[in-house]
Amino acid sequence: MSNTARSWMYDRLDADEYISPIFTNGLKTFIEFACSNQSFMDGDKIKCPCKKCLNRAFQEVEVAKFHLSKFGFIPNYYLWNKHGETSIGSTSFGMDDTHSPFNEHHDPSYSEMVMDVAGYDFIGRTFDEDPNPEDKKFFDMLEAADRELWSGCKKATQLSVAARLLNIKSEYRIHEQCFNAICQSMKDGLPEDNNMVDSLYETKKLIQALGLPVEHIDCCRSGCMLYWRDNKDLDQCKFCEAQRYKSSTNSSKCSRVAYTRMHYLPLTPRLKRLYASQAIVASMRWHAEDHGHDVGVM
């Protein structure tokens, strides 16, 4: 099936500005196909490819039909890949595991990851003036999600490479100096107009707008206590009296280095991200929607 065969998607209105029968029949075919692939749905909801939802928000079937009739399809959505289609016309019902959006060969959409961070309230917003600093971070992230690593690169974006590098650093415990050297080596080996990050600092700066903060908390080197809350200004452990900071000729508070530090990952922002993610939110709501009352079922 060619793009021409799906021209009905963009011939929504007839000469009298009414919904055309051709569009209505085609829409019925699309809805049937979208509802046949459960792995691309959120419960009974499907991704709505209208010009308002942009294939990002899950909607009830009737709501999606109404949106598509009112706003029309997003431009050039001839291949229904967000609903399980792998090639135009592959509308056979029943998908096997190789078509799952979570299989290992699937290339994650970093644009969708950024939209998950923004949440449903952001979708469809328009700005008549310069965005505030919080929204500006989001726009920068969205730009990075779509920014080619170099002109003509189709396999990676600036954000996707940064996210993968941070994952590799964490998994293999790569030292910061080694990470910087890898980044610089990659940058030098790419075309001159590349957008490759060149250090851990630049990588973290790019990723930080995802809103998953990390707090550093000084600890007693013997493990007695944390220098936190009421104890945050202490210079020695109140149990073993061990010194908090390493000896230094510089007495400035800003330059003092603690013997031991822990990384604290605040829970609330991470829960917010799980509820914002369209891929996970159905599981997060599972208990609240009367599914969690079966005795013996966890």
Side-chain angles (χ1 to χ4, degrees), residues 37-189:
N37 297 312
Q38 289 291 324
S39 60
F40 287 83
M41 297 173 65
D42 179 5
D44 294 329
K45 297 179 181 180
I46 62 172
K47 276 192 175 181
C48 181
C50 76
K51 292 180 180 178
K52 178 182 179 182
C53 297
L54 303 176
N55 252 336
R56 291 167 182 150
F58 285 94
Q59 303 286 5
E60 300 287 350
V61 171
E62 292 304 316
V63 174
K65 289 169 65 176
F66 172 76
H67 279 196
L68 290 168
S69 298
K70 181 178 181 180
F71 304 113
F73 283 85
I74 56 175
N76 300 313
Y77 190 53
Y78 294 108
L79 175 61
W80 301 337
N81 59 308
K82 299 297 184 182
H83 298 84
E85 192 171 48
T86 55
S87 61
I88 293 181
S90 62
T91 54
S92 57
F93 294 168
M95 305 284 287
D96 59 32
D97 291 339
T98 60
H99 296 103
S100 168
F102 303 108
N103 74 76
E104 62 181 355
H105 302 295
H106 179 72
D107 184 26
S109 170
Y110 287 87
S111 295
E112 288 190 5
M113 179 178 69
V114 176
M115 289 306 300
D116 279 341
V117 172
Y120 291 102
D121 292 339
F122 199 96
I123 298 172
R125 285 174 60 185
T126 59
F127 296 90
D128 298 325
E129 57 187 20
D130 291 339
N132 61 43
E134 198 64 31
D135 287 335
K136 174 86 167 54
K137 289 181 181 179
F138 165 72
F139 282 122
D140 290 343
M141 287 291 293
L142 191 59
E143 181 182 351
D146 292 327
R147 188 183 300 132
E148 294 179 344
L149 194 58
W150 71 85
S151 180
C153 177
K154 302 302 181 185
K155 292 185 177 181
T157 65
Q158 185 186 44
L159 180 61
S160 71
V161 170
R164 290 171 183 172
L165 282 173
L166 284 178
N167 182 64
I168 292 171
K169 181 185 185 304
S170 175
E171 186 171 351
Y172 296 100
R173 301 181 181 181
I174 297 176
H175 191 274
E176 180 176 350
Q177 291 181 338
C178 179
F179 185 93
N180 292 343
I182 292 172
C183 290
Q184 193 60 56
S185 177
M186 292 177 65
K187 188 174 183 66
D188 292 343

